[in-house]
Amino acid sequence: MQSQAIRADTTIGSGFFQPIIKLLTSNLSLRIAIICMLLVIVLDRLFVTFIFPVYENVLPKPDQLSWLNIDAGYSPIVWTVYLGSILASVTVVVSLAAQSAPKLIDLYMENVPTMSYVWWTMACAAHCYTLKLLPELGYDVSPSLVFNYHVLFPVFLFTNFPFVLAVLLSTKTHNVIKQVLGGSRSIFRNLAQQETRKKAKKAYPKEQLQLFEAQNQLIDLLTFTPYKEPKALIIEGLGELLRFYVEFKRQLPDSFFKVQPSIREDISFKTMQDEMKTIEETKLFFEQKSLRLIGNVYINFLEKGDFDLSTLCVEQVGMLGRKGIELKDDDLITMIMVRLNTHLRFALKHGMYNNEPRNLYNLIFHYGLFTNALVEAGMVDRVKTCFFYLTFYNAECFKAVRQSPAVGFILDVIATEMQKIMIRIDELNWDPEVHDTLLKSFLLLDNPTGSEREQLVSFFTNSHGIRLLHIGLALHYMAQGDTTRARIIAKDTLQDRNLLGEEVFMRNMKIIFARLRFSGPTFWEDTDRGNLNIYYSPHAAHLDEFGTMQQEFLEEARAEEAARKVED
């Protein structure tokens, strides 16, 4: 116990003196120190030469006036006390704040205004000590005494308290986050300038390490702080930084994307050594690091039930994906699709074990926004891939319904997002063959792959959401004059008759028609997505026409069944 106490005291002591040690050893700090010392000397000479004669003439001139009679014995003590207060303020405040944000010490060692003020105070104190020594050697330093007492000291007194307040404010979590993110942006800008000036280096291990350390510090800070606001600020900041980076990376030197040994050992890449060559070729090492960190905190938020923060994580991933679509960055788009699918898998696990669909609900919404951006960009193959993933996870959700009934709502949510995309594809007049292929995928949602007939009957006897959304799309087609695709959907609805029997089928259709006919655009309860009614269709006026169309296929089916019975 005693040895542990000694080690703890040693740690506290080293942490307490760390700011002073860095202040005295940092290259930037020492350069600022030299500049401040020289500046005080230059200002002293200028004051003595140009201002002191005017100053002296303004004062009254009694017969016994002598500048040598000034008692300056107390001034070094005063300067020492104030210098100690400044150093104590910086050391104590930064050391304590660094317990929760270790990056803070590094930020202060790179903060020019803070170091400039500290070294300026030291230079003023050194100036005072010198003025105490020189008169004892017989030098007349009266003008410099006036400069120190009447200029430097009042200026220090007026700026001392604001400086201490500024140090306190800068240790707030919000300010630390902004400084860390701003430092990363500065690194990117400096690298771009090197590329512009043709001064690019062969490797950038220091810059890569600084970027990774900054991100690790932000995630540590996010984990440590108990408040949601700074957590949200960190997540949004990482998202903004990523979007800035992917838009800015074309200006960076190619050698920057060579992964250095210093970050190969980063915890995010420990299990990805075999993929390093691909990461270098695609120039996605920074995105990979950032998205992995966001994925880790997403899981953490899932487990803690922080729905708003987990949704914010997915939102940032989706926004980065839309930026990649805007920039036509195929490698980034692929990565985002993988990350969204990974988040979807984790959210599905959480929803299944906790019977909680909320995270899935929010995630599918952002997945839909991402897919819709692909539609707007005309990326047909990507949209087909997303539809495949959505139908796959629809089947996975259906399997989870038996264990977690609340997850069944997600089947309707997936259908809602796919319906929105189908409507947008129709509005953009996509190729009919592609359109029909995607429509077939959409119609498969109520027949999940690998599902047992017994479970299908049990679920769809009482759940009408997917089929309602199918018919809602058919009503859209009819409003646009596309009766061909509306008839495809009408014929597809008869599969419910084969599965459930005609009596249940007819009852379900009456319920669906009534909901479409009388539902409004908003719901009477609020959700994370507002009170929008996902089952609403603005084209309910075509329901009777759709019912007639459906009845035709129903009569045909009955006639075929009757014919088969006669043959038998």
Side-chain angles (χ1 to χ4, degrees):
M1 291 296 293
Q2 185 177 1
S3 61
Q4 291 178 355
I6 293 174
R7 284 197 297 271
D9 292 340
T10 303
T11 303
I12 294 173
S14 62
F16 181 82
F17 289 108
Q18 192 174 0
I20 295 180
I21 294 172
K22 289 211 171 191
L23 185 69
L24 297 175
T25 56
S26 168
N27 291 331
L28 176 61
S29 178
L30 294 177
R31 287 197 295 269
I32 292 176
I34 294 172
I35 293 172
C36 288
M37 296 293 182
L38 293 175
L39 184 59
V40 169
I41 294 173
V42 171
L43 291 176
D44 177 83
R45 292 300 88 197
L46 291 174
F47 180 86
V48 170
T49 304
F50 298 105
I51 300 177
F52 181 74
V54 177
Y55 183 84
E56 188 177 31
N57 291 333
V58 170
L59 294 177
K61 296 183 175 55
D63 294 338
Q64 301 299 322
L65 177 63
S66 174
W67 292 105
L68 299 176
N69 293 331
I70 298 177
D71 182 10
Y74 68 91
S75 58
I77 300 174
V78 175
W79 272 111
T80 302
V81 170
Y82 277 108
L83 176 60
S85 70
I86 291 296
L87 290 176
S89 299
V90 174
T91 303
V92 172
V93 172
V94 175
S95 296
L96 292 177
Q99 300 302 314
S100 60
K103 184 69 176 175
L104 197 61
I105 294 178
D106 297 329
L107 290 176
Y108 269 95
M109 292 307 102
E110 299 168 1
N111 187 277
V112 175
T114 301
M115 287 194 295
S116 298
Y117 190 85
V118 172
W119 279 115
W120 172 258
T121 305
M122 288 185 178
C124 293
H127 182 263
C128 180
Y129 301 152
T130 304
L131 297 180
K132 177 62 178 174
L133 176 64
L134 291 179
E136 296 177 3
L137 300 176
Y139 291 96
D140 181 11
V141 293
S142 302
S144 295
L145 283 172
V146 174
F147 174 65
N148 190 279
Y149 305 153
H150 290 192
V151 179
L152 296 181
F153 195 63
V155 169
F156 171 78
L157 288 177
F158 279 110
T159 57
N160 181 22
F161 187 63
F163 170 75
V164 174
L165 284 180
V167 171
L168 288 171
L169 289 173
S170 64
T171 59
K172 290 181 62 177
T173 306
H174 289 64
N175 292 326
V176 173
I177 295 169
K178 290 178 181 178
Q179 289 185 60
V180 174
L181 293 170
S184 298
R185 287 175 181 261
S186 298
I187 291 174
F188 293 138
R189 292 192 181 98
N190 292 337
L191 291 173
Q193 289 177 1
Q194 292 183 22
E195 176 70 6
T196 302
R197 297 170 184 172
K198 304 300 181 182
K199 295 182 179 180
K201 297 184 292 186
K202 293 183 179 180
Y204 292 90
K206 179 182 176 182
E207 288 79 0
Q208 290 181 356
L209 186 60
Q210 287 176 337
L211 289 168
F212 274 39
E213 285 180 344
Q215 292 206 313
N216 289 334
Q217 290 284 352
L218 286 173
I219 296 302
D220 290 342
L221 184 59
L222 182 148
T223 304
F224 178 84
T225 181
Y227 305 109
K228 283 191 174 183
E229 187 178 356
K231 289 181 179 181
L233 189 62
I234 291 173
I235 298 169
E236 290 177 335
L238 286 174
E240 290 175 2
L241 180 64
L242 275 171
R243 293 192 294 277
F244 169 82
Y245 168 73
V246 298
E247 194 167 9
F248 201 74
K249 67 189 291 186
R250 299 179 184 181
Q251 304 177 36
L252 302 180
D254 290 336
S255 54
F256 170 72
F257 301 100
K258 177 70 175 177
V259 179
Q260 299 301 308
S262 56
I263 65 169
R264 283 178 182 269
E265 298 303 316
D266 184 84
I267 191 170
S268 297
F269 290 159
K270 283 285 188 180
T271 58
M272 300 181 63
Q273 297 300 317
D274 295 339
E275 299 182 33
M276 281 300 169
K277 184 177 180 181
T278 303
I279 292 174
E280 288 182 347
E281 291 173 352
T282 56
K283 301 180 179 180
L284 292 174
F285 79 93
F286 186 72
E287 294 93 327
Q288 186 72 257
K289 166 70 175 179
S290 302
L291 292 174
R292 281 210 154 202
L293 290 177
I294 292 175
N296 291 338
V297 297
Y298 177 73
I299 297 172
N300 190 24
F301 292 145
L302 287 181
E303 294 173 348
K304 292 183 177 180
D306 292 330
F307 302 103
D308 45 359
L309 293 175
S310 62
T311 301
L312 191 59
C313 291
V314 176
E315 180 186 33
Q316 298 306 313
V317 175
M319 291 174 69
L320 179 62
R322 296 199 291 276
K323 175 60 72 172
I325 295 170
E326 178 186 329
L327 298 173
K328 294 180 171 56
D329 189 335
D330 287 336
D331 293 322
L332 179 59
I333 295 172
T334 300
M335 176 180 284
I336 293 300
M337 293 173 73
V338 171
R339 298 312 303 178
L340 286 174
N341 291 337
T342 304
H343 292 331
L344 189 50
R345 172 60 66 184
F346 284 124
L348 177 56
K349 281 185 177 181
H350 176 270
M352 184 171 63
Y353 291 127
N354 296 277
N355 197 30
E356 174 54 74
R358 191 170 177 182
N359 288 294
L360 280 167
Y361 176 46
N362 294 325
L363 195 154
I364 295 297
F365 171 77
H366 290 290
Y367 206 127
L369 291 179
F370 172 73
T371 308
N372 191 67
L374 292 172
V375 171
E376 297 290 343
M379 297 183 177
V380 175
D381 291 337
R382 296 282 188 183
V383 174
K384 288 181 178 179
T385 304
C386 284
F387 263 53
F388 167 76
Y389 292 146
L390 288 171
T391 53
F392 172 79
Y393 286 109
N394 174 79
E396 294 294 296
C397 288
F398 186 76
K399 293 176 184 176
V401 167
R402 182 172 294 175
Q403 178 179 341
S404 305
V407 177
F409 173 65
I410 301 304
L411 301 176
D412 296 357
V413 176
I414 293 174
T416 299
E417 296 304 322
M418 293 180 73
Q419 185 202 60
K420 292 178 186 176
I421 295 165
M422 292 303 303
I423 291 174
R424 187 56 184 157
I425 287 173
D426 184 56
E427 292 172 347
L428 294 175
N429 296 317
W430 271 31
D431 180 74
E433 185 177 349
V434 175
H435 192 156
D436 292 338
T437 300
L438 296 175
L439 177 59
K440 289 179 182 177
S441 297
F442 179 52
L443 294 177
L444 287 174
L445 292 181
D446 62 346
N447 188 21
T449 304
S451 301
E452 299 177 0
R453 179 182 178 85
E454 179 183 349
Q455 185 182 1
L456 289 171
V457 172
S458 174
F459 181 80
F460 287 109
T461 296
N462 300 304
S463 179
H464 319 118
I466 295 178
R467 187 57 80 188
L468 185 151
L469 291 162
H470 285 165
I471 295 174
L473 179 61
L475 297 179
H476 165 78
Y477 287 141
M478 296 175 75
Q480 305 302 315
D482 187 355
T483 57
T484 301
R485 292 192 176 94
R487 291 180 66 84
I488 291 175
I489 296 175
K491 186 175 182 179
D492 185 80
T493 61
L494 294 188
Q495 291 184 9
D496 294 357
R497 176 177 175 269
N498 299 333
L499 177 69
L500 307 174
E502 185 164 331
E503 181 181 350
V504 176
F505 167 74
M506 296 301 294
R507 185 194 68 193
N508 286 354
M509 286 300 124
K510 288 181 180 179
I511 295 173
I512 290 172
F513 279 33
R515 289 179 65 181
L516 285 169
R517 197 181 303 276
F518 300 112
S519 294
T522 56
F523 192 54
W524 57 81
E525 295 177 3
D526 194 24
T527 69
D528 290 345
R529 305 260 67 86
N531 65 340
L532 182 68
N533 183 3
I534 64 174
Y535 305 106
Y536 169 72
S537 172
H539 308 296
H542 296 278
L543 269 173
D544 292 337
E545 184 181 352
F546 179 83
T548 302
M549 192 181 298
Q550 190 183 57
Q551 189 65 30
E552 292 177 5
F553 288 112
L554 182 59
E555 294 299 332
E556 290 180 6
R558 288 170 177 168
E560 290 177 2
E561 291 172 358
R564 283 197 296 269
K565 288 181 179 180
V566 171
E567 291 177 0
D568 293 340

